[in-house]
Amino acid sequence: QKEVEQDPGPLSVPEGAIVSLNCTYSNSAFQYFMWYRQYSRKGPELLMYTYSSGNKEDGRFTAQVDKSSKYISLFIRDSQPSDSATYLCAMSALKGAQKLVFGQGTRLTINP
Amino acid sequence: DSGVTQTPKHLITATGQRVTLRCSPRSGDLSVYWYQQSLDQGLQFLIQYYNGEERAKGNILERFSAQQFPDLHSELNLSSLELGDSALYFCASSVEPRGGEETQYFGPGTRLLVL
């Protein structure tokens, strides 16, 4: 079993829809949670960063972490065609440990 | 643009050969990470260097090695290449974390094709 599980999709939704992307994990030591967006043939770019449990909002994006359930989510409101990309969740353990463990990535398409 | 540069962008070589991938971190970043991304394995952490010293190792094969130079650029050496080594290789960099923050910035990657 992988440390981080993420549904690879693909996920296709109409423009303007609310998108929910999720990851589950098994390592209770993870404390730092990130979402990266990767466009085709590009490197991943950091989208959201969260420490421990709770919510974080940035524009149309909201990241949620539920450590008790070992479950993290990324919500995209008012989705746009430019949001079409692969979204990767990533996690890291103790402070100072920088080895990120990534999910498989979910391929998202927003249809105009 | 993340500020991390990688060369070359594309590399085509034959089995059994050796190649070197190069990475320049963002200005001021002391840590460099290497990742391999393939369709079946996803993004896998290979190795991390901090200010010239190896800090962490992931799923890096013995045929692969890396180093970080005094000017902080890093090279990933892949030898005795096999077909299965065909993948995207990413470099990422970060500052030394303060207060527990951990963010890595990725380069555009090197696409390696082994024939």
Side-chain angles (χ1 to χ4, degrees):
Chain A
Q1 184 186 2
K2 293 184 177 180
E3 275 189 292
V4 180
E5 298 279 358
Q6 183 177 6
D7 187 341
L11 182 61
S12 182
V13 301
E15 183 176 356
I18 296 175
V19 177
S20 172
L21 304 168
N22 312 294
C23 289
T24 59
Y25 62 95
S26 57
N27 188 346
S28 57
F30 287 145
Q31 295 191 61
Y32 307 94
F33 304 92
M34 284 138 274
W35 286 95
Y36 282 82
R37 177 175 62 194
Q38 185 176 20
Y39 290 113
S40 182
R41 298 181 176 273
K42 301 286 187 182
E45 57 176 324
L46 182 67
L47 204 56
M48 298 287 282
Y49 171 93
T50 311
Y51 169 65
S52 195
S53 285
N55 294 358
K56 183 173 183 178
E57 189 173 319
D58 184 0
R60 297 184 295 109
F61 298 90
T62 299
Q64 287 185 352
V65 175
D66 182 349
K67 290 187 69 179
S68 62
S69 302
K70 297 190 178 67
Y71 188 87
I72 71 170
S73 300
L74 177 71
F75 297 95
I76 306 174
R77 292 183 299 280
D78 187 25
S79 55
Q80 304 294 311
S82 59
D83 295 327
S84 298
T86 296
Y87 290 80
L88 301 122
C89 62
M91 308 177 189
S92 180
L94 303 174
K95 182 167 67 175
Q98 303 196 347
K99 175 185 165 183
L100 290 182
V101 182
F102 282 83
Q104 190 75 4
T106 300
R107 182 176 293 184
L108 172 67
T109 300
I110 309 296
N111 301 302
Chain B
D1 184 359
S2 67
V4 178
T5 60
Q6 288 187 250
T7 57
K9 286 186 179 179
H10 303 277
L11 202 48
I12 301 175
T13 188
T15 54
Q17 295 299 304
R18 173 189 169 94
V19 297
T20 297
L21 312 183
R22 183 187 168 102
C23 167
S24 292
R26 296 186 320 158
S27 176
D29 285 358
L30 299 178
S31 275
V32 169
Y33 313 77
W34 286 98
Y35 291 85
Q36 180 191 60
Q37 187 176 41
S38 59
L39 281 174
D40 55 342
Q41 294 291 324
L43 198 59
Q44 298 280 313
F45 168 72
L46 296 179
I47 196 164
Q48 179 201 354
Y49 276 81
Y50 171 74
N51 203 19
E53 300 290 327
E54 182 184 305
R55 173 163 281 192
K57 252 184 178 178
N59 302 319
I60 188 166
L61 299 172
E62 284 192 12
R63 301 183 286 108
F64 296 0
S65 65
Q67 54 184 328
Q68 187 179 27
F69 295 87
D71 66 353
L72 301 177
H73 90 272
S74 178
E75 292 181 356
L76 178 68
N77 300 295
L78 314 176
S79 61
S80 302
L81 285 167
E82 302 175 0
L83 296 177
D85 297 327
S86 296
L88 267 170
Y89 291 84
F90 288 105
C91 168
S93 74
S94 74
V95 297
E96 176 72 356
R98 293 188 295 273
E101 286 193 17
E102 306 221 4
T103 54
Q104 295 180 22
Y105 296 88
F106 282 76
T110 293
R111 185 175 294 273
L112 174 66
L113 180 60
V114 182
L115 299 175

